[in-house]
């Protein structure tokens, strides 16, 4: 049983922290499309930062990993629950790079 879209959206939002806006759309094949954007980068008039990834749990994980790296790079000192998984995110990034360059 897959959790509902709004429940997943809430979960993603909580995990991404106060700077993020998490949204889940459905793509043409009714797959979840995770989108996380940075409210701070938008507010400061920079190029709005956002990432989107399709898929269920994999998409969620990939989008959250990218968001975690954005937080660390651009907003050091900010706190968010997803930062607790930074080491795991880096490990996954490492593994992805080894599997498929680019
Ligand atoms: Zn940002």
């Amino acid at each position: 049983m897959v959790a509902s879209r709004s429940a997943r959206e809430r979960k993603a939002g909580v995990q991404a922290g106060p700077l993020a806006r998490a949204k889940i759309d459905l793509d043409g094949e009714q797959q979840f499309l995770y989108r996380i954007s940075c409210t701070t980068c938008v507010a400061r008039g920079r190029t709005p930062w956002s990432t989107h990834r399709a898929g269920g749990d994999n998409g969620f994980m990939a989008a959250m990993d990218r968001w975690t790296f954005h937080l660390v790079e651009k907003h050091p000192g900010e706190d968010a629950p997803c930062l607790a998984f930074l080491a795991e995110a880096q490990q996954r990034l490492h593994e992805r790079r080894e599997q498929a360059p680019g």
Side-chain angles (χ1 to χ4, degrees):
M1 179 72 190
V2 181
S4 74
R5 180 152 64 118
S6 60
R8 280 168 177 263
E9 208 169 69
R10 257 197 316 277
K11 184 185 161 203
V14 167
Q15 206 173 335
L19 287 190
R21 184 172 297 141
K23 240 182 92 51
I24 299 177
D25 295 320
L26 292 173
D27 71 6
E29 286 154 13
Q30 300 299 298
Q31 267 211 101
F32 285 141
L33 197 62
Y34 285 91
R35 193 181 301 275
I36 301 177
S37 52
C38 180
T39 55
T40 302
C41 285
V42 172
R44 287 181 189 165
R46 298 184 203 155
T47 310
W49 186 93
S50 74
T51 181
H52 48 274
R53 288 287 186 277
D57 291 332
N58 285 343
F60 171 75
M61 206 109 88
M64 193 60 70
D65 285 357
R66 285 216 55 211
W67 166 249
T68 303
F69 297 137
H70 174 81
L71 262 186
V72 170
E73 257 177 53
K74 304 291 183 189
H75 311 287
E78 290 291 339
D79 203 13
C82 63
L83 292 175
F85 307 106
L86 177 61
E88 291 168 37
Q90 282 165 336
Q91 179 64 29
R92 280 193 290 269
L93 180 74
H94 188 69
E95 283 165 7
R96 258 179 240 131
R97 275 186 181 154
E98 284 187 346
Q99 282 164 14

